[in-house]
Amino acid sequence: MLDPDDIPSPLLGPGERSEVRIEPIRSGRSRMLYVVRRSLVLAARVAEAASGEREPARQAAEVLRSIGGIWAKAGQILSAAHAVFPTPLLVEVMKLHHCSPGFDPALARRRIEEELRRPIESLFSKFEDQPVAAGSFSQVHRAVLRENGVRVAVKVQRPGIERLIEQDMAILARFFRWYARFARPEQLRLREMRREIARSLDEELDYRREAEHTKTLRREIAGHGIGVPEVFGDCSSRSVLVTEYVDGVFLSDYLDVLDRDPDRARTWLDANGIDPRRVARKMYESILRQALENKLFHGEPSPGNVILRKGNGVVLIDVGAVGRLAPESQRSYARFFRSVVSREYRDAADRLIRFFEPLPPVDLDQLKKDIVRVFRSWDAATRIRELPYAQRSTTSVWARIGEVSVSYHIPLEWVYVRLDRATIALDVGIRFLHERIDYHRELARYFRRATRREARTGSPGPGAISQIDLAGLDVQIEDLAGDFADVVRRNSLAFESTGNKLASVVAVVFRRFLLVATLVGAFLLALFVDQRITPVRPSSGASRLGEVLVAGVDAGHEPG
């Protein structure tokens, strides 16, 4: 359980937090018409947001929220497509947490009793009907466990959500088919994107999975200085999840007060011993450790899923969306980040290009030069703290990398979407906690600490190449094999790209040669047939020249 002494003083006054509105969600044919109508408004707002202005982006995110169902989730997944949507829109979409309309509390009570097969009074000594938060698929009620008196958060899935998702996925499929007719969807890989949305929904709608994710993350990041609420499995099911209630201040609420009343926000920080810069650095290092060292990482550490506590305390909630990197991918990412830290940007570009495989026919050298140019520009920007945060953030560098990939018609790799989503979600909060953060320096600090952890525990760190000794020989061999594989793949990648272009050139030349050969062959055949049918009598001059040629050949010497 979390330490009750770390509960901070309240930040919001009475009535400042809006109550969750109880609204029904449209379904059936009216749902289709409503989604289409709101989508037209959404398209207009997205087009306006392309200018980089914040207000149209905020309005577009609000349209997604109002539609409900899968649309806010689809928007968050699409937020990883940096080059497809403007950055302000990505930032606003990642704020869409716990701000949806709720549903009738009587339906929530009924769902809990049906799932857990017990009267609600036998489970909880107190159950608050008014939800404290609501999302697209669920809402959260405060309660007290009858068994031990612990205050808990009861997450209840919205009744009929499965049917609603089926309708929305069918509508989404229609949109994709329409888009494919009038655009070039190859780079988006719409089929893979739809699979990623379906996979994400399947995971998040089964609260038994979320319970396991929460337990695993709580165990994995215990040493990060970041908390995760305890799960009460006996009171949880596929559609009901009961966790420890976390008292604190949502990062989203702090950012709202910071925007409206900065002095009040700073006073609250001082009163509770919170340094926002240390909180930002702690959160960034933790997401790196989760992705590169642990078994899974929080997929959406956005301000709505982060709770601030006394003394720079941080608690992550809502662990429905998670990501995992296989050990090979963890090593690849670690080597990539090490190249960035050491400013070996050509090597970083090489490693990054491997994430784009398979590549279409491209000028590989020019692609690498363009990626290196992006990294060097970002590196220069991180050293100038007076520049706006948007030019120094990780979101900005990935957005520019996305623009490069679009210019080369490189398809989007949805395999890496979840880590991108986590990075963007984290960036939304960090930009206000520590506007002058130097990500390059923070990466270097992370690897220094990872090296110390490796020396202390004896286990290999993220992508580390150990010193030559017998104990670390297996790790060493694995890393050297990985580096050798990197070289082989880099050369094969260059050969593949060059080979594709060479094959195209050869194909064009061969087709033209075949055309010429056909024409010449037809001409010679016509000439042969003509001579066979109507022989031409040679002139006397020609006849004498023929006799001379024959005579010269018979004599064994060349004619003069």
Side-chain angles (χ1 to χ4, degrees), residues 15 26 71 157 164 190 362 437 449 519 551:
R26 296 172 175 83
W71 300 96
Q157 199 170 101
L164 182 67
L190 296 180
V362 297
I437 190 171
R449 292 182 176 181
L519 293 175

Side-chain angles (χ1 to χ4, degrees), residues 279-291:
V279 170
R281 290 196 293 266
K282 178 192 290 189
M283 291 170 59
Y284 184 63
E285 181 174 4
S286 177
I287 202 67
L288 287 172
R289 291 181 67 178
Q290 291 172 43

Side-chain angles (χ1 to χ4, degrees), residues 498-509:
T498 305
N500 287 335
K501 290 186 286 186
L502 181 60
S504 300
V505 172
V506 169
V508 171
V509 172

